Each structure stands twice: as C-alpha cells, then as structure tokens.
Amino acid sequence: GLLKLLRADGKLEAQLAESGYQVEWAHYPSGIRLVDAFKRGELSIGVVGEGPPIFAQASDVPIVYVAAEAPAPEAEAIVVHDDSPIRSVAGLRGKRVALSRGSNAHYLLIRALEEAGLAYTDVATRFAFQEAARARFQHREVDAWVIGDPTLAELQQRLPVRVLRDGRGLTSNPAYYVASSEFATRHPEVIALFRSELLSVQRWALEHLEEAATSLSPQVGIDRAA
C-alpha cells in the first residue's frame, strides 16, 4: 500500500532525479518472487512480509532491513465459506487450503496448525497467487483460504465468509522494507531519502484515510470501502 502511494506521490522520483538517479518500479506477485529478483540483482529496494527475508537469508541472498510497518495481526486470517462444516482450525485436517508460498499467510497457517495440534502435513496446501487462489476459493476448489488485508476486508464484504483464526496471539503480520546490501552500502543517502519519504506518505495516509483509499483502490483493483 505505502509503496503504491509513494509512487503516486512522485516526490521520491523528483528528489532522486535531482541527484542523477532514475527510479524504475516493478511488481512481483509474491514475496518469494521478489526475493528471487534480489538474487538476480534486479532490485535495489522492495517490500515483503516476514517469511521471504528468512528464505533469502537461507539462500544467501544479500539483503538488509531498512524499515518496517507496524504489526497488524488482526489483518490476516484463515477463512472458510460461511456454510462450511469446518468450525475450527482443527477441522482443517485433510482439507485443501489455498495460500501464497512464503508469505505472512503461510506463517500464520503454520502457527495456527501448531496451536490446534495439527502437523503441517495434515492439510493439503494449494499454493497460488492471489487471483488464482481467489478463483479456487470462490469455486470451492479449496476448503479454506489464508489471506490478509485489503483482500481479506474485500472478501468479507462481498462473500459470506467466516474467520477460523486470525493472527492475534500467533503472528505480528508486519511489512518489511528490504534493500540490496551492496546498494544500501554504496548509497546510504538514497536509503535515508527513501525512509524519509515513506514516513511522510504514511503520515499523510493516516491523516487522510479517505483520500488514501481513493488513490489506492484503482491501483490494487480492490473496492475503495475495503
């Protein structure tokens, strides 16, 4: 969200252009794909959940943390259709669960299963990017979906769904801003400017919720109310 607002604001590009830098924006369908892009040297800075940086460290991808958003454990959840016979996480044994691999949602599922006394192998995970997962859930090709806001909020508005477990008490559901170690070392002034502009746009969004939602809605393809 914040990166899209930062892009729409245009101040980061303008200030960096004065110092001879050109900004190129890129979108990846998952944090794992973004980590792969760092590994190939395609990215300088990006935003991910709590899972992908761990995969990056395990694969010796040289990244460093440069900023983080506030925890939002209530903003991710395991959901089922309202008429589903599944009443708790324990009821997911042998069921099909859609999620994005290596995401915050992936970590939530692991923790929720652990809490319910189930092994990770007790459920049939179906890894899919958001649109494919949405289709599988709506067509009932999976029994549950692990998802976060704003998609979670939109789903709750459009479909009769029931939350089995959200992240409270299990996960922090943060967003981390990471940078290429080499880039951060060579260009600390860019990292400092990025953090400053990110904080500025965050303050603006918190003070102008309606305007921020209006700006984000067409960019992410999600209803403004959600």
Side-chain angles (χ1 to χ4, degrees), residues 125-156:
T125 52
R126 296 290 185 265
F127 295 127
F129 297 133
Q130 184 168 297
E131 288 310 311
R134 180 197 297 271
R136 290 181 183 180
F137 181 75
Q138 291 180 336
H139 296 149
R140 299 181 184 253
E141 296 172 4
V142 294
D143 303 289
W145 188 13
V146 194
I147 194 66
D149 278 342
T151 306
L152 172 61
E154 181 191 42
L155 197 68
Q156 290 173 310

Side-chain angles (χ1 to χ4, degrees), residues 28-225:
Y28 296 86
S30 73
I32 294 297
R33 291 288 182 87
L34 188 141
V35 165
D36 289 341
F38 270 114
K39 191 172 186 177
R40 294 190 298 269
E42 297 175 2
L43 289 178
S44 304
I45 303 172
V47 61
V48 292
E50 56 198 329
I54 297 174
F55 283 91
Q57 293 168 35
S59 302
D60 294 323
V61 179
I63 61 172
V64 293
Y65 293 91
V66 298
E69 292 185 28
E74 72 288 346
E76 63 174 351
I78 304 171
V79 299
V80 295
H81 288 278
D82 193 52
D83 60 359
S84 169
I86 302 171
R87 311 306 300 182
S88 67
V89 174
L92 291 175
R93 185 187 297 272
K95 303 301 183 182
R96 301 156 300 177
V97 182
L99 68 156
S100 176
R101 185 173 72 90
S103 63
N104 285 12
H106 196 169
Y107 184 55
L108 171 60
L109 177 64
I110 292 171
R111 292 299 313 279
L113 292 173
E114 182 182 65
E115 180 187 53
L118 297 183
Y120 183 66
T121 52
D122 285 335
V123 301
T125 52
R126 296 290 185 265
F127 295 127
F129 297 133
Q130 184 168 297
E131 288 310 311
R134 180 197 297 271
R136 290 181 183 180
F137 181 75
Q138 291 180 336
H139 296 149
R140 299 181 184 253
E141 296 172 4
V142 294
D143 303 289
W145 188 13
V146 194
I147 194 66
D149 278 342
T151 306
L152 172 61
E154 181 191 42
L155 197 68
Q156 290 173 310
Q157 288 183 353
R158 293 191 174 186
L159 293 177
V161 296
R162 179 162 33 86
V163 171
L164 291 183
R165 183 71 164 93
D166 65 22
R168 284 175 285 196
L170 292 179
T171 66
S172 57
N173 189 31
Y176 291 120
Y177 295 87
V178 295
S180 155
S181 298
E182 179 184 5
F183 183 85
T185 300
R186 292 175 56 191
H187 305 285
E189 73 286 357
V190 175
I191 299 299
L193 179 60
F194 172 79
R195 290 175 58 171
S196 175
E197 289 303 312
L198 191 69
L199 184 59
S200 177
V201 78
Q202 181 191 48
R203 287 171 176 162
W204 174 83
L206 290 174
E207 294 172 358
H208 303 82
L209 293 177
E210 297 293 336
E211 293 176 51
T214 299
S215 175
L216 277 177
S217 178
Q219 295 190 63
V220 298
I222 287 179
D223 185 73
R224 177 178 176 276

